[in-house]
């Protein structure tokens, strides 16, 4: 199951995802609130988990240190991807770094990252 957790305002994130016909791939799109009650990545992740429940098998796939630290703050492992906004040298706190889509796919399918302790 795929979800979006972004620090962008939720209303804007939904518009962007709809515009590029990506919403259909995700069960829920969660983002920051306009009233600033939900701003950090951790806030957004907690909000998303409140909405969807936790399976205990969540993994964050992110491209910034904020993604990694937000997930780790609530004990969710993170696989960083090197092709996003974050510089690769800032992604070392993630359980793994995927440098290609194929590598990300393999990490998610095998859950090999889950055996790595922080």
């Amino acid at each position: 199951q795929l979800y979006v957790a972004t620090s962008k305002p939720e209303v804007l994130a939904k518009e962007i995802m709809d515009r590029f016909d990506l919403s259909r791939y995700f069960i829920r799109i969660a983002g920051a609130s306009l009233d600033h009650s939900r701003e950090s990545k951790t806030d957004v992740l907690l909000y998303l988990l409140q909405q969807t429940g936790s399976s205990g098998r969540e993994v964050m796939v992110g491209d910034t240190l904020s993604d990694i630290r937000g997930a780790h703050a609530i004990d969710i492992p993170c696989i960083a991807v090197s092709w996003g906004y974050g510089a690769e040298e800032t992604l070392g706190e993630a359980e793994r770094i995927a440098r290609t889509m194929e590598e990300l796919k393999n990490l998610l399918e095998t859950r090999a990252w889950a055996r790595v302790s922080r």
Side-chain angles (χ1 to χ4, degrees), residues 3 7-8 17-18 20 22 24-26 28 39 48-49 59-60 68 73 75-76 80 83 92 99 101 109 118:
Y3 303 90
S7 298
K8 292 173 186 64
M17 297 293 286
D18 287 344
F20 291 99
L22 296 171
R24 62 190 169 124
Y25 297 107
F26 297 89
R28 177 96 167 74
E39 290 185 294
L48 181 59
L49 289 174
V59 60
M60 172 72 151
I68 298 164
D75 293 321
I76 293 176
W83 60 83
R99 290 172 179 84
M101 190 64 82
E109 287 177 347
R118 287 186 262 128

Side-chain angles (χ1 to χ4, degrees), residues 31-88:
S33 61
L34 294 176
D35 67 2
H36 303 289
S37 63
R38 192 173 59 247
E39 290 185 294
S40 73
K41 185 64 62 144
T42 302
D43 292 341
V44 173
L45 287 167
L46 286 170
Y47 166 73
L48 181 59
L49 289 174
Q50 288 172 346
Q51 302 295 310
T52 62
S54 173
S55 69
R57 293 178 46 92
E58 292 83 11
V59 60
M60 172 72 151
V61 175
D63 63 351
T64 65
L65 186 57
S66 172
D67 292 331
I68 298 164
R69 290 185 174 167
H72 287 173
I74 57 172
D75 293 321
I76 293 176
C78 184
I79 298 172
V81 294
S82 64
W83 60 83
Y85 288 103
E88 187 170 346

Side-chain angles (χ1 to χ4, degrees), residues 94-113:
E95 279 68 16
R96 291 278 201 265
I97 299 174
R99 290 172 179 84
T100 67
M101 190 64 82
E102 185 67 25
E103 189 176 348
L104 175 60
K105 179 179 179 276
N106 289 337
L107 286 169
L108 291 170
E109 287 177 347
T110 63
R111 295 188 58 87
W113 51 267

